[in-house]
Structures are given as C-alpha cells and as structure tokens.
C-alpha cells in the first residue's frame, strides 16, 4: 500500500513539474512575443516620427517656399506629400493646412505692402503731376513770347513725363488728374498722338460718318491715356522707317472703333498668356506682378 502511495505521489509530482515547465515555456514565449511586438511597435513609431520629421523638413525647405513662388509664377510646381512617407490622417491634413496658411499669410502681407506702396506713389504722382502741369503752362506762355524751337522740344518732353506720371497714378488707383470737357473722338486720338515719341510716324485716318461724334468728359482723358500707351508701344517696337496707321471708324450700331495697326515684334505665347491673364483676371492687380518694366 505504501509503495502504491509513493508511486502515486511521484506521478503527481512529475505531472506538476511538467505543467510548471510547460507554463514556464508559455510564459517565456509570451514574454518573447510581447517583447517582439513592443520592438516592432517602437520601430514603427520611430519610422513614423522620422517620416513626419522629413515631411516637416520638406514643408519648411520646399513646399512653403514653392507655394509662395507660385503666387507670382502660376506655372511653378508646388510639391505635395511624399508618396513613400506613409503620412496620413490628421498629420497629412495639418501639413496641407500649413501650406495653405502660409499662402494666405503671404498674400495678406503682399496686399498690405502693395496698398502702402500704392498710397505712397499716389501722393508722389499727384505732386509730380502738379509740377509738370505748372511747367506746361509756363512753357505755353514762353512759346507765345519767344520763337525758339527748343521751347517746343521742352514742352514735348514735359508732355512725355506727364503721360508716364499719369500712367503711374492710374496703376495706383488714382484718377488721371486732368479734367476735360466732352471731346470729339478724333481730337482725343490726335491728343494721344501728340504724347508719343515718334508721333510723326503715326498716320490717323478719320472714317467717321458723324464728324462730331464725341466722348463724354469723364472718359476722354482715360481714353487718351490708354490710346497713348498703345501708340507708344506700336512706335517703340516697330521699325523706325515704318508708319503706324490709326483708323477711326463707326460701327453698325452707335459705337466706334479705333484701330491701331501695330507692326511690332509681337508677343510669344508665354507673354500673350500672361497679358490675357492680367486683363481677364480679378480687378486687383498687384504692382509687384507687373514686371520690369511694368
């Protein structure tokens, strides 16, 4: 009986030892698996942190500067998130919002600086225009008193300076600064011609059916300024031996056309596209977008 009890105890002890060893192995395997999982998670977290760090670096060095450049050069590429980075969710959204916030901040600062520049130039243009008008009156008086062709040359150069000052004032949202009466359309065209270097090359043909067709006072000077710029461009960029024909004619309705035959060098596709964008885009045109010369 005693032997049987001893044998039973031995069996129980063996089974208990086997269970302990198996549990120990399970605990060791579980600990190893947990350690491996923790290590993988740590590596994944490190990889995400590294990817996010690289994205922030690209944001600061490339994406935000490129976004700022694209505000002035619309064809300039703006890089996005790197495809292999694995950035998604809130992180991706916040990085994209950072680029947009930078664009908004740059635009607001550009508008503020541009508004300040316009204000300063409006004041300066008004003072210069006033002085040029005074010089013009004085030169007209001298022309009546003295028969000296140099006075006429001075008067013409004063007129050229006055036109440039008026154009600058218009770019700064100011009125041209010269009050006129209702004016014959042909007189407006001839007045624009007199403000252009090389005016003798401009040949005006009047084909109006109604000779007294006129322009209302508030539009006369703006029309003269715009036409003078077109004529100046036509004479400056065409061969000096060529003429610049200007035709004034009525349309089938109540309107009229002023046609300037410009035999200049023309515009390439990029320049033409940019000009069309400036003319057809929003009303606000920043001075910094006009180029040099503007």
């Amino acid at each position: 009986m005693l032997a049987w009890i001893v044998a039973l105890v031995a069996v129980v002890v063996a089974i208990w030892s086997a269970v302990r060893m198996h549990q120990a192995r399970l605990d060791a395997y579980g600990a190893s698996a947990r350690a491996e999982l923790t290590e993988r998670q740590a590596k994944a977290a490190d990889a995400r942190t590294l990817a996010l760090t690289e994205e922030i670096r690209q944001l600061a060095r490339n994406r935000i500067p490129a976004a700022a450049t694209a505000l002035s050069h619309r064809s300039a590429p703006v890089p996005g998130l790197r495809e292999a980075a694995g950035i998604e969710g809130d992180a991706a959204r916040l990085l994209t919002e950072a680029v947009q916030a930078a664009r908004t901040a740059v635009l607001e600062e550009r508008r503020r600086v541009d508004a300040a520049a316009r204000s300063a130039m409006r004041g300066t243009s008004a003072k210069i225009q006033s002085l040029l008008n005074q010089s013009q009156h004085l030169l007209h008086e001298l022309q009546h008193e003295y028969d000296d062709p140099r006075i006429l040359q001075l008067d013409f150069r004063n007129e050229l300076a006055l036109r440039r000052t008026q154009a600058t004032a218009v770019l700064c949202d100011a009125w041209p600064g010269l009050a006129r009466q209702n004016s014959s359309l042909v007189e407006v065209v001839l007045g624009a011609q007199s403000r252009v270097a090389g005016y003798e090359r401009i040949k005006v043909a009047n084909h109006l059916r109604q000779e007294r067709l006129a322009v209302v006072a508030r539009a006369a000077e703006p029309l003269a300024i715009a036409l003078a710029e077109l004529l100046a461009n036509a004479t400056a960029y065409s061969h000096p031996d060529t003429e610049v024909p200007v035709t004034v004619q009525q349309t089938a309705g109540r309107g009229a056309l002023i046609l300037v035959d410009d035999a200049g060098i023309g515009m390439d596709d990029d320049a033409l596209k940019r000009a069309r964008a400036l003319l057809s885009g929003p009303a606000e045109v920043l001075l910094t977008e006009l180029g040099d010369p503007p």
Side-chain angles (χ1 to χ4, degrees), residues 251-272:
T251 61
R254 300 179 59 186
L257 290 175
I258 304 173
L259 306 178
V260 179
D261 188 0
D262 187 343
I265 59 177
M267 303 173 72
D268 59 34
D269 290 341
D270 289 340
L272 188 59

Side-chain angles (χ1 to χ4, degrees), residues 13 29 45 66 77 94 100 150 181 207 223 231 235 240 273 290:
V13 170
Y29 177 78
L94 290 173
Q100 186 58 44
R150 292 177 297 178
Q181 298 177 341
H207 293 164
L223 177 60
L231 295 174
T235 55
K273 182 179 179 181
L290 295 177

Side-chain angles (χ1 to χ4, degrees), residues 185-186 207-210 213-215 223 247-259:
L185 180 58
V186 175
H207 293 164
L208 292 176
R209 298 189 302 274
Q210 297 172 292
L213 187 67
V215 181
L223 177 60
T247 305
V248 186
Q249 64 186 47
Q250 286 183 248
T251 61
R254 300 179 59 186
L257 290 175
I258 304 173
L259 306 178

Side-chain angles (χ1 to χ4, degrees), residues 201 229-239 244 260-264:
R201 294 168 49 203
E229 293 298 324
L230 291 174
L231 295 174
N233 181 77
T235 55
Y237 292 99
S238 59
H239 195 278
V244 177
V260 179
D261 188 0
D262 187 343

Side-chain angles (χ1 to χ4, degrees), residues 52-82:
L52 184 58
T53 301
E54 290 299 321
E55 284 297 340
I56 294 173
R57 183 177 290 112
Q58 173 163 297
L59 179 73
R61 293 181 177 178
N62 299 321
R63 295 182 67 191
I64 288 179
T69 300
L71 294 175
S72 300
H73 306 279
R74 290 175 175 80
S75 59
V78 180
L81 293 171
R82 296 176 304 142

